[in-house]
Amino acid sequence: MTGELSPIDKAKFAAAKRAVDFVEDGMRVGLGTGSTAAWMVRCLGEMVREDGLKIKGVPTSVRTAELARQVGIEVISLDEAKWLDLTIDGADEFDADLNLIKGGGGALLQEKIVATASDQMIVIADTAKEVATLGAFPLPVEVIPFGWQTTRALIDEALINLDVMGREVTLRMNGEAPFVTDEGNHILDLHLKRIGNPRQLSLVVNQIPGVVENGLFIDICDVVVVGHGDGKVEVRDINAGTVEEEKIDFLEGDNLFNDL
């Protein structure tokens, strides 16, 4: 079955398969959103069904919650969990300091809340997500619908004084209508091309009235697991300063692929 997967999907699967090794029995685990995180949820579901792993999952979106329930993971809210042992999620970009851009799937608010309520955040990604400088991927900013055009104008003005290469701001659409997040908000995508000072940008943008949260994750990620199309994975621990390489075997009969 894995022979039918593209190299990118194999890389995502390899990263997800390695990342779930961090999960132990009895843990409360934040479950990320996106294509790579979906592989991770399926891997955890297989461990629950086949190995008897007992965990409680806190999803970061409605669609992740639905998938988690489908694969047999017990789902609870963050209020019920109060604090998490671990969160595993994907990223749209990450740099050498493991700072991230997230929110391409529109779940950045819940993702950031869940990640910061965890003892550890592990990011799973393919090699294409690694960048020297953040910003090639448009930065998502979640805003309330009321007065969103005013909020966009204030963001436009703020960007003039920030270290960025581009300043185009667009409203994310879903067909003919604005995209709506799980919290009922809109998303403005900031096409910055290069972010010279992510920390400053995050602080400035979040001070603008109407902004709920932005997709910069600064000093939140502890470990990134980078997957390659041949099954190789790199585990980079920012706190320990270590990089480990392993090889993940693709099992043709893996139940994980039955629902794809």
Side-chain angles (χ1 to χ4, degrees), residues 124-162:
I124 46 179
D126 58 83
T127 55
K129 304 298 172 49
E130 183 173 7
V131 296
T133 304
L134 298 176
F137 190 92
L139 174 66
V141 177
E142 186 159 342
V143 301
I144 66 170
F146 176 80
W148 72 264
Q149 294 189 57
T150 299
T151 303
R152 181 170 69 176
L154 291 170
I155 292 174
D156 285 335
E157 184 177 1
L159 290 176
I160 294 173
N161 298 313
L162 293 171

PDB file of all heavy atoms in Angstrom, residues 124-162:
ATOM      1  N   ILE A 124       6.071  17.578  13.419  1.00  0.00           N
ATOM      2  CA  ILE A 124       6.375  16.592  12.387  1.00  0.00           C
ATOM      3  C   ILE A 124       6.261  17.279  11.027  1.00  0.00           C
ATOM      4  O   ILE A 124       5.315  18.016  10.771  1.00  0.00           O
ATOM      5  CB  ILE A 124       5.443  15.367  12.474  1.00  0.00           C
ATOM      6  CG1 ILE A 124       3.980  15.793  12.640  1.00  0.00           C
ATOM      7  CG2 ILE A 124       5.845  14.462  13.610  1.00  0.00           C
ATOM      8  CD1 ILE A 124       2.992  14.645  12.720  1.00  0.00           C
ATOM      9  N   ALA A 125       7.253  17.054  10.174  1.00  0.00           N
ATOM     10  CA  ALA A 125       7.287  17.773   8.903  1.00  0.00           C
ATOM     11  C   ALA A 125       8.116  17.013   7.884  1.00  0.00           C
ATOM     12  O   ALA A 125       8.944  16.166   8.231  1.00  0.00           O
ATOM     13  CB  ALA A 125       7.888  19.167   9.111  1.00  0.00           C
ATOM     14  N   ASP A 126       7.890  17.340   6.615  1.00  0.00           N
ATOM     15  CA  ASP A 126       8.774  16.847   5.565  1.00  0.00           C
ATOM     16  C   ASP A 126       9.847  17.904   5.319  1.00  0.00           C
ATOM     17  O   ASP A 126       9.777  19.032   5.830  1.00  0.00           O
ATOM     18  CB  ASP A 126       7.981  16.548   4.288  1.00  0.00           C
ATOM     19  CG  ASP A 126       7.240  17.774   3.768  1.00  0.00           C
ATOM     20  OD1 ASP A 126       7.870  18.580   3.065  1.00  0.00           O
ATOM     21  OD2 ASP A 126       6.043  17.932   4.078  1.00  0.00           O
ATOM     22  N   THR A 127      10.853  17.553   4.541  1.00  0.00           N
ATOM     23  CA  THR A 127      12.015  18.428   4.373  1.00  0.00           C
ATOM     24  C   THR A 127      11.667  19.765   3.717  1.00  0.00           C
ATOM     25  O   THR A 127      12.365  20.760   3.925  1.00  0.00           O
ATOM     26  CB  THR A 127      13.096  17.730   3.531  1.00  0.00           C
ATOM     27  OG1 THR A 127      12.513  17.305   2.282  1.00  0.00           O
ATOM     28  CG2 THR A 127      13.643  16.519   4.254  1.00  0.00           C
ATOM     29  N   ALA A 128      10.592  19.808   2.949  1.00  0.00           N
ATOM     30  CA  ALA A 128      10.218  21.040   2.249  1.00  0.00           C
ATOM     31  C   ALA A 128       9.803  22.148   3.220  1.00  0.00           C
ATOM     32  O   ALA A 128       9.774  23.324   2.829  1.00  0.00           O
ATOM     33  CB  ALA A 128       9.083  20.764   1.261  1.00  0.00           C
ATOM     34  N   LYS A 129       9.483  21.790   4.456  1.00  0.00           N
ATOM     35  CA  LYS A 129       9.010  22.785   5.418  1.00  0.00           C
ATOM     36  C   LYS A 129      10.165  23.522   6.116  1.00  0.00           C
ATOM     37  O   LYS A 129       9.937  24.499   6.821  1.00  0.00           O
ATOM     38  CB  LYS A 129       8.130  22.107   6.480  1.00  0.00           C
ATOM     39  CG  LYS A 129       6.946  21.341   5.896  1.00  0.00           C
ATOM     40  CD  LYS A 129       6.012  22.257   5.149  1.00  0.00           C
ATOM     41  CE  LYS A 129       4.932  21.512   4.383  1.00  0.00           C
ATOM     42  NZ  LYS A 129       4.214  20.501   5.134  1.00  0.00           N
ATOM     43  N   GLU A 130      11.400  23.053   5.925  1.00  0.00           N
ATOM     44  CA  GLU A 130      12.537  23.694   6.582  1.00  0.00           C
ATOM     45  C   GLU A 130      13.020  24.884   5.752  1.00  0.00           C
ATOM     46  O   GLU A 130      13.230  24.776   4.548  1.00  0.00           O
ATOM     47  CB  GLU A 130      13.688  22.704   6.759  1.00  0.00           C
ATOM     48  CG  GLU A 130      14.875  23.293   7.498  1.00  0.00           C
ATOM     49  CD  GLU A 130      15.935  22.267   7.828  1.00  0.00           C
ATOM     50  OE1 GLU A 130      15.812  21.105   7.369  1.00  0.00           O
ATOM     51  OE2 GLU A 130      16.879  22.616   8.553  1.00  0.00           O
ATOM     52  N   VAL A 131      13.190  26.031   6.420  1.00  0.00           N
ATOM     53  CA  VAL A 131      13.618  27.248   5.734  1.00  0.00           C
ATOM     54  C   VAL A 131      14.728  27.926   6.536  1.00  0.00           C
ATOM     55  O   VAL A 131      14.838  27.750   7.747  1.00  0.00           O
ATOM     56  CB  VAL A 131      12.441  28.240   5.564  1.00  0.00           C
ATOM     57  CG1 VAL A 131      11.368  27.650   4.653  1.00  0.00           C
ATOM     58  CG2 VAL A 131      11.834  28.636   6.909  1.00  0.00           C
ATOM     59  N   ALA A 132      15.545  28.707   5.842  1.00  0.00           N
ATOM     60  CA  ALA A 132      16.581  29.479   6.528  1.00  0.00           C
ATOM     61  C   ALA A 132      15.966  30.651   7.282  1.00  0.00           C
ATOM     62  O   ALA A 132      16.395  30.995   8.390  1.00  0.00           O
ATOM     63  CB  ALA A 132      17.611  29.977   5.525  1.00  0.00           C
ATOM     64  N   THR A 133      14.944  31.263   6.670  1.00  0.00           N
ATOM     65  CA  THR A 133      14.253  32.404   7.275  1.00  0.00           C
ATOM     66  C   THR A 133      12.756  32.238   7.050  1.00  0.00           C
ATOM     67  O   THR A 133      12.324  31.955   5.932  1.00  0.00           O
ATOM     68  CB  THR A 133      14.710  33.730   6.642  1.00  0.00           C
ATOM     69  OG1 THR A 133      16.130  33.842   6.747  1.00  0.00           O
ATOM     70  CG2 THR A 133      14.062  34.918   7.348  1.00  0.00           C
ATOM     71  N   LEU A 134      11.962  32.422   8.091  1.00  0.00           N
ATOM     72  CA  LEU A 134      10.518  32.301   7.967  1.00  0.00           C
ATOM     73  C   LEU A 134       9.949  33.387   7.058  1.00  0.00           C
ATOM     74  O   LEU A 134      10.509  34.479   6.960  1.00  0.00           O
ATOM     75  CB  LEU A 134       9.859  32.408   9.344  1.00  0.00           C
ATOM     76  CG  LEU A 134      10.200  31.344  10.384  1.00  0.00           C
ATOM     77  CD1 LEU A 134       9.517  31.669  11.717  1.00  0.00           C
ATOM     78  CD2 LEU A 134       9.790  29.949   9.905  1.00  0.00           C
ATOM     79  N   GLY A 135       8.822  33.069   6.413  1.00  0.00           N
ATOM     80  CA  GLY A 135       8.102  34.102   5.693  1.00  0.00           C
ATOM     81  C   GLY A 135       7.707  33.786   4.271  1.00  0.00           C
ATOM     82  O   GLY A 135       6.840  34.453   3.709  1.00  0.00           O
ATOM     83  N   ALA A 136       8.327  32.790   3.646  1.00  0.00           N
ATOM     84  CA  ALA A 136       7.914  32.429   2.290  1.00  0.00           C
ATOM     85  C   ALA A 136       6.466  31.939   2.291  1.00  0.00           C
ATOM     86  O   ALA A 136       5.682  32.246   1.384  1.00  0.00           O
ATOM     87  CB  ALA A 136       8.837  31.362   1.717  1.00  0.00           C
ATOM     88  N   PHE A 137       6.104  31.184   3.340  1.00  0.00           N
ATOM     89  CA  PHE A 137       4.711  30.763   3.498  1.00  0.00           C
ATOM     90  C   PHE A 137       3.932  31.935   4.091  1.00  0.00           C
ATOM     91  O   PHE A 137       4.378  32.551   5.054  1.00  0.00           O
ATOM     92  CB  PHE A 137       4.606  29.545   4.423  1.00  0.00           C
ATOM     93  CG  PHE A 137       3.239  28.917   4.446  1.00  0.00           C
ATOM     94  CD1 PHE A 137       2.928  27.889   3.573  1.00  0.00           C
ATOM     95  CD2 PHE A 137       2.259  29.368   5.317  1.00  0.00           C
ATOM     96  CE1 PHE A 137       1.659  27.318   3.579  1.00  0.00           C
ATOM     97  CE2 PHE A 137       0.991  28.800   5.327  1.00  0.00           C
ATOM     98  CZ  PHE A 137       0.687  27.778   4.444  1.00  0.00           C
ATOM     99  N   PRO A 138       2.776  32.281   3.525  1.00  0.00           N
ATOM    100  CA  PRO A 138       1.999  33.408   4.059  1.00  0.00           C
ATOM    101  C   PRO A 138       1.651  33.198   5.539  1.00  0.00           C
ATOM    102  O   PRO A 138       1.234  32.116   5.932  1.00  0.00           O
ATOM    103  CB  PRO A 138       0.736  33.409   3.195  1.00  0.00           C
ATOM    104  CG  PRO A 138       1.152  32.738   1.920  1.00  0.00           C
ATOM    105  CD  PRO A 138       2.155  31.692   2.324  1.00  0.00           C
ATOM    106  N   LEU A 139       1.842  34.249   6.333  1.00  0.00           N
ATOM    107  CA  LEU A 139       1.578  34.167   7.764  1.00  0.00           C
ATOM    108  C   LEU A 139       0.086  34.354   8.035  1.00  0.00           C
ATOM    109  O   LEU A 139      -0.457  35.429   7.766  1.00  0.00           O
ATOM    110  CB  LEU A 139       2.369  35.235   8.514  1.00  0.00           C
ATOM    111  CG  LEU A 139       2.084  35.347  10.013  1.00  0.00           C
ATOM    112  CD1 LEU A 139       2.533  34.086  10.739  1.00  0.00           C
ATOM    113  CD2 LEU A 139       2.753  36.584  10.598  1.00  0.00           C
ATOM    114  N   PRO A 140      -0.591  33.353   8.592  1.00  0.00           N
ATOM    115  CA  PRO A 140      -2.010  33.494   8.905  1.00  0.00           C
ATOM    116  C   PRO A 140      -2.218  34.320  10.178  1.00  0.00           C
ATOM    117  O   PRO A 140      -1.496  34.143  11.165  1.00  0.00           O
ATOM    118  CB  PRO A 140      -2.488  32.048   9.125  1.00  0.00           C
ATOM    119  CG  PRO A 140      -1.372  31.178   8.626  1.00  0.00           C
ATOM    120  CD  PRO A 140      -0.123  31.984   8.820  1.00  0.00           C
ATOM    121  N   VAL A 141      -3.185  35.214  10.131  1.00  0.00           N
ATOM    122  CA  VAL A 141      -3.573  35.988  11.302  1.00  0.00           C
ATOM    123  C   VAL A 141      -5.082  35.859  11.456  1.00  0.00           C
ATOM    124  O   VAL A 141      -5.842  36.226  10.551  1.00  0.00           O
ATOM    125  CB  VAL A 141      -3.178  37.475  11.157  1.00  0.00           C
ATOM    126  CG1 VAL A 141      -3.671  38.274  12.365  1.00  0.00           C
ATOM    127  CG2 VAL A 141      -1.664  37.615  11.001  1.00  0.00           C
ATOM    128  N   GLU A 142      -5.520  35.308  12.596  1.00  0.00           N
ATOM    129  CA  GLU A 142      -6.950  35.143  12.835  1.00  0.00           C
ATOM    130  C   GLU A 142      -7.523  36.439  13.392  1.00  0.00           C
ATOM    131  O   GLU A 142      -6.993  37.012  14.342  1.00  0.00           O
ATOM    132  CB  GLU A 142      -7.202  33.987  13.807  1.00  0.00           C
ATOM    133  CG  GLU A 142      -8.673  33.673  13.998  1.00  0.00           C
ATOM    134  CD  GLU A 142      -8.930  32.256  14.517  1.00  0.00           C
ATOM    135  OE1 GLU A 142      -8.020  31.411  14.408  1.00  0.00           O
ATOM    136  OE2 GLU A 142     -10.043  32.020  15.016  1.00  0.00           O
ATOM    137  N   VAL A 143      -8.602  36.918  12.769  1.00  0.00           N
ATOM    138  CA  VAL A 143      -9.231  38.178  13.178  1.00  0.00           C
ATOM    139  C   VAL A 143     -10.728  37.970  13.347  1.00  0.00           C
ATOM    140  O   VAL A 143     -11.320  37.106  12.699  1.00  0.00           O
ATOM    141  CB  VAL A 143      -8.974  39.296  12.143  1.00  0.00           C
ATOM    142  CG1 VAL A 143      -7.477  39.539  11.968  1.00  0.00           C
ATOM    143  CG2 VAL A 143      -9.604  38.971  10.795  1.00  0.00           C
ATOM    144  N   ILE A 144     -11.337  38.779  14.215  1.00  0.00           N
ATOM    145  CA  ILE A 144     -12.789  38.687  14.356  1.00  0.00           C
ATOM    146  C   ILE A 144     -13.445  39.300  13.130  1.00  0.00           C
ATOM    147  O   ILE A 144     -12.886  40.219  12.509  1.00  0.00           O
ATOM    148  CB  ILE A 144     -13.292  39.336  15.657  1.00  0.00           C
ATOM    149  CG1 ILE A 144     -13.064  40.851  15.639  1.00  0.00           C
ATOM    150  CG2 ILE A 144     -12.615  38.708  16.873  1.00  0.00           C
ATOM    151  CD1 ILE A 144     -13.761  41.569  16.791  1.00  0.00           C
ATOM    152  N   PRO A 145     -14.619  38.823  12.731  1.00  0.00           N
ATOM    153  CA  PRO A 145     -15.266  39.356  11.520  1.00  0.00           C
ATOM    154  C   PRO A 145     -15.623  40.840  11.631  1.00  0.00           C
ATOM    155  O   PRO A 145     -15.533  41.566  10.638  1.00  0.00           O
ATOM    156  CB  PRO A 145     -16.524  38.494  11.387  1.00  0.00           C
ATOM    157  CG  PRO A 145     -16.191  37.225  12.108  1.00  0.00           C
ATOM    158  CD  PRO A 145     -15.323  37.632  13.250  1.00  0.00           C
ATOM    159  N   PHE A 146     -16.023  41.292  12.823  1.00  0.00           N
ATOM    160  CA  PHE A 146     -16.408  42.686  12.986  1.00  0.00           C
ATOM    161  C   PHE A 146     -15.228  43.604  12.673  1.00  0.00           C
ATOM    162  O   PHE A 146     -14.178  43.520  13.296  1.00  0.00           O
ATOM    163  CB  PHE A 146     -16.894  42.951  14.413  1.00  0.00           C
ATOM    164  CG  PHE A 146     -17.227  44.396  14.696  1.00  0.00           C
ATOM    165  CD1 PHE A 146     -18.440  44.931  14.297  1.00  0.00           C
ATOM    166  CD2 PHE A 146     -16.312  45.218  15.324  1.00  0.00           C
ATOM    167  CE1 PHE A 146     -18.749  46.264  14.538  1.00  0.00           C
ATOM    168  CE2 PHE A 146     -16.594  46.548  15.570  1.00  0.00           C
ATOM    169  CZ  PHE A 146     -17.826  47.078  15.174  1.00  0.00           C
ATOM    170  N   GLY A 147     -15.416  44.462  11.698  1.00  0.00           N
ATOM    171  CA  GLY A 147     -14.391  45.442  11.375  1.00  0.00           C
ATOM    172  C   GLY A 147     -13.117  44.870  10.813  1.00  0.00           C
ATOM    173  O   GLY A 147     -12.049  45.489  10.937  1.00  0.00           O
ATOM    174  N   TRP A 148     -13.198  43.708  10.156  1.00  0.00           N
ATOM    175  CA  TRP A 148     -11.969  43.053   9.704  1.00  0.00           C
ATOM    176  C   TRP A 148     -11.201  43.905   8.698  1.00  0.00           C
ATOM    177  O   TRP A 148      -9.966  43.833   8.648  1.00  0.00           O
ATOM    178  CB  TRP A 148     -12.273  41.665   9.126  1.00  0.00           C
ATOM    179  CG  TRP A 148     -12.961  41.652   7.794  1.00  0.00           C
ATOM    180  CD1 TRP A 148     -14.296  41.545   7.566  1.00  0.00           C
ATOM    181  CD2 TRP A 148     -12.335  41.739   6.508  1.00  0.00           C
ATOM    182  NE1 TRP A 148     -14.561  41.576   6.218  1.00  0.00           N
ATOM    183  CE2 TRP A 148     -13.374  41.690   5.545  1.00  0.00           C
ATOM    184  CE3 TRP A 148     -11.023  41.861   6.068  1.00  0.00           C
ATOM    185  CZ2 TRP A 148     -13.126  41.761   4.175  1.00  0.00           C
ATOM    186  CZ3 TRP A 148     -10.773  41.932   4.697  1.00  0.00           C
ATOM    187  CH2 TRP A 148     -11.819  41.881   3.769  1.00  0.00           C
ATOM    188  N   GLN A 149     -11.905  44.712   7.923  1.00  0.00           N
ATOM    189  CA  GLN A 149     -11.200  45.552   6.960  1.00  0.00           C
ATOM    190  C   GLN A 149     -10.398  46.652   7.666  1.00  0.00           C
ATOM    191  O   GLN A 149      -9.299  47.023   7.217  1.00  0.00           O
ATOM    192  CB  GLN A 149     -12.193  46.167   5.967  1.00  0.00           C
ATOM    193  CG  GLN A 149     -12.852  45.118   5.078  1.00  0.00           C
ATOM    194  CD  GLN A 149     -13.665  45.708   3.959  1.00  0.00           C
ATOM    195  OE1 GLN A 149     -13.154  46.471   3.154  1.00  0.00           O
ATOM    196  NE2 GLN A 149     -14.946  45.366   3.907  1.00  0.00           N
ATOM    197  N   THR A 150     -10.925  47.147   8.779  1.00  0.00           N
ATOM    198  CA  THR A 150     -10.167  48.096   9.587  1.00  0.00           C
ATOM    199  C   THR A 150      -8.945  47.415  10.185  1.00  0.00           C
ATOM    200  O   THR A 150      -7.840  47.981  10.211  1.00  0.00           O
ATOM    201  CB  THR A 150     -11.046  48.674  10.709  1.00  0.00           C
ATOM    202  OG1 THR A 150     -12.153  49.358  10.124  1.00  0.00           O
ATOM    203  CG2 THR A 150     -10.261  49.637  11.589  1.00  0.00           C
ATOM    204  N   THR A 151      -9.131  46.192  10.666  1.00  0.00           N
ATOM    205  CA  THR A 151      -8.005  45.432  11.207  1.00  0.00           C
ATOM    206  C   THR A 151      -6.936  45.230  10.144  1.00  0.00           C
ATOM    207  O   THR A 151      -5.735  45.385  10.411  1.00  0.00           O
ATOM    208  CB  THR A 151      -8.483  44.065  11.733  1.00  0.00           C
ATOM    209  OG1 THR A 151      -9.507  44.274  12.712  1.00  0.00           O
ATOM    210  CG2 THR A 151      -7.342  43.290  12.365  1.00  0.00           C
ATOM    211  N   ARG A 152      -7.372  44.917   8.934  1.00  0.00           N
ATOM    212  CA  ARG A 152      -6.397  44.742   7.839  1.00  0.00           C
ATOM    213  C   ARG A 152      -5.645  46.038   7.559  1.00  0.00           C
ATOM    214  O   ARG A 152      -4.422  46.020   7.341  1.00  0.00           O
ATOM    215  CB  ARG A 152      -7.088  44.252   6.565  1.00  0.00           C
ATOM    216  CG  ARG A 152      -6.102  44.040   5.412  1.00  0.00           C
ATOM    217  CD  ARG A 152      -6.716  43.343   4.224  1.00  0.00           C
ATOM    218  NE  ARG A 152      -7.681  44.177   3.537  1.00  0.00           N
ATOM    219  CZ  ARG A 152      -8.311  43.817   2.412  1.00  0.00           C
ATOM    220  NH1 ARG A 152      -8.080  42.614   1.898  1.00  0.00           N
ATOM    221  NH2 ARG A 152      -9.181  44.607   1.846  1.00  0.00           N
ATOM    222  N   ALA A 153      -6.344  47.164   7.592  1.00  0.00           N
ATOM    223  CA  ALA A 153      -5.689  48.445   7.355  1.00  0.00           C
ATOM    224  C   ALA A 153      -4.653  48.745   8.443  1.00  0.00           C
ATOM    225  O   ALA A 153      -3.571  49.273   8.163  1.00  0.00           O
ATOM    226  CB  ALA A 153      -6.736  49.562   7.303  1.00  0.00           C
ATOM    227  N   LEU A 154      -4.986  48.387   9.684  1.00  0.00           N
ATOM    228  CA  LEU A 154      -4.034  48.598  10.780  1.00  0.00           C
ATOM    229  C   LEU A 154      -2.813  47.688  10.635  1.00  0.00           C
ATOM    230  O   LEU A 154      -1.688  48.085  10.942  1.00  0.00           O
ATOM    231  CB  LEU A 154      -4.731  48.348  12.124  1.00  0.00           C
ATOM    232  CG  LEU A 154      -5.791  49.387  12.523  1.00  0.00           C
ATOM    233  CD1 LEU A 154      -6.584  48.894  13.735  1.00  0.00           C
ATOM    234  CD2 LEU A 154      -5.140  50.733  12.815  1.00  0.00           C
ATOM    235  N   ILE A 155      -3.038  46.469  10.162  1.00  0.00           N
ATOM    236  CA  ILE A 155      -1.915  45.565   9.902  1.00  0.00           C
ATOM    237  C   ILE A 155      -1.043  46.119   8.785  1.00  0.00           C
ATOM    238  O   ILE A 155       0.187  46.123   8.876  1.00  0.00           O
ATOM    239  CB  ILE A 155      -2.430  44.144   9.563  1.00  0.00           C
ATOM    240  CG1 ILE A 155      -3.078  43.501  10.788  1.00  0.00           C
ATOM    241  CG2 ILE A 155      -1.282  43.274   9.049  1.00  0.00           C
ATOM    242  CD1 ILE A 155      -3.740  42.164  10.504  1.00  0.00           C
ATOM    243  N   ASP A 156      -1.683  46.612   7.714  1.00  0.00           N
ATOM    244  CA  ASP A 156      -0.941  47.229   6.610  1.00  0.00           C
ATOM    245  C   ASP A 156      -0.018  48.331   7.122  1.00  0.00           C
ATOM    246  O   ASP A 156       1.162  48.413   6.738  1.00  0.00           O
ATOM    247  CB  ASP A 156      -1.916  47.832   5.586  1.00  0.00           C
ATOM    248  CG  ASP A 156      -2.585  46.781   4.713  1.00  0.00           C
ATOM    249  OD1 ASP A 156      -2.004  45.695   4.544  1.00  0.00           O
ATOM    250  OD2 ASP A 156      -3.684  47.044   4.213  1.00  0.00           O
ATOM    251  N   GLU A 157      -0.571  49.157   7.999  1.00  0.00           N
ATOM    252  CA  GLU A 157       0.210  50.283   8.530  1.00  0.00           C
ATOM    253  C   GLU A 157       1.366  49.796   9.398  1.00  0.00           C
ATOM    254  O   GLU A 157       2.483  50.315   9.324  1.00  0.00           O
ATOM    255  CB  GLU A 157      -0.708  51.195   9.339  1.00  0.00           C
ATOM    256  CG  GLU A 157      -0.041  52.457   9.861  1.00  0.00           C
ATOM    257  CD  GLU A 157      -1.002  53.365  10.594  1.00  0.00           C
ATOM    258  OE1 GLU A 157      -2.195  53.000  10.723  1.00  0.00           O
ATOM    259  OE2 GLU A 157      -0.573  54.433  11.047  1.00  0.00           O
ATOM    260  N   ALA A 158       1.099  48.766  10.214  1.00  0.00           N
ATOM    261  CA  ALA A 158       2.140  48.247  11.112  1.00  0.00           C
ATOM    262  C   ALA A 158       3.289  47.622  10.335  1.00  0.00           C
ATOM    263  O   ALA A 158       4.457  47.722  10.731  1.00  0.00           O
ATOM    264  CB  ALA A 158       1.531  47.231  12.077  1.00  0.00           C
ATOM    265  N   LEU A 159       2.978  46.982   9.218  1.00  0.00           N
ATOM    266  CA  LEU A 159       4.009  46.276   8.458  1.00  0.00           C
ATOM    267  C   LEU A 159       5.046  47.221   7.860  1.00  0.00           C
ATOM    268  O   LEU A 159       6.182  46.814   7.575  1.00  0.00           O
ATOM    269  CB  LEU A 159       3.362  45.438   7.346  1.00  0.00           C
ATOM    270  CG  LEU A 159       2.568  44.202   7.788  1.00  0.00           C
ATOM    271  CD1 LEU A 159       1.913  43.534   6.588  1.00  0.00           C
ATOM    272  CD2 LEU A 159       3.451  43.223   8.547  1.00  0.00           C
ATOM    273  N   ILE A 160       4.675  48.494   7.678  1.00  0.00           N
ATOM    274  CA  ILE A 160       5.609  49.465   7.097  1.00  0.00           C
ATOM    275  C   ILE A 160       6.870  49.586   7.954  1.00  0.00           C
ATOM    276  O   ILE A 160       7.975  49.769   7.436  1.00  0.00           O
ATOM    277  CB  ILE A 160       4.919  50.842   6.952  1.00  0.00           C
ATOM    278  CG1 ILE A 160       3.779  50.750   5.928  1.00  0.00           C
ATOM    279  CG2 ILE A 160       5.926  51.914   6.540  1.00  0.00           C
ATOM    280  CD1 ILE A 160       2.933  52.001   5.841  1.00  0.00           C
ATOM    281  N   ASN A 161       6.710  49.455   9.253  1.00  0.00           N
ATOM    282  CA  ASN A 161       7.828  49.649  10.176  1.00  0.00           C
ATOM    283  C   ASN A 161       8.459  48.346  10.653  1.00  0.00           C
ATOM    284  O   ASN A 161       9.263  48.363  11.590  1.00  0.00           O
ATOM    285  CB  ASN A 161       7.356  50.459  11.391  1.00  0.00           C
ATOM    286  CG  ASN A 161       6.866  51.838  11.009  1.00  0.00           C
ATOM    287  OD1 ASN A 161       7.527  52.552  10.254  1.00  0.00           O
ATOM    288  ND2 ASN A 161       5.690  52.211  11.505  1.00  0.00           N
ATOM    289  N   LEU A 162       8.102  47.235  10.017  1.00  0.00           N
ATOM    290  CA  LEU A 162       8.636  45.944  10.433  1.00  0.00           C
ATOM    291  C   LEU A 162       9.588  45.392   9.371  1.00  0.00           C
ATOM    292  O   LEU A 162       9.517  45.761   8.194  1.00  0.00           O
ATOM    293  CB  LEU A 162       7.487  44.957  10.689  1.00  0.00           C
ATOM    294  CG  LEU A 162       6.598  45.308  11.888  1.00  0.00           C
ATOM    295  CD1 LEU A 162       5.369  44.411  11.920  1.00  0.00           C
ATOM    296  CD2 LEU A 162       7.372  45.190  13.195  1.00  0.00           C
TER     297      LEU A 162
END
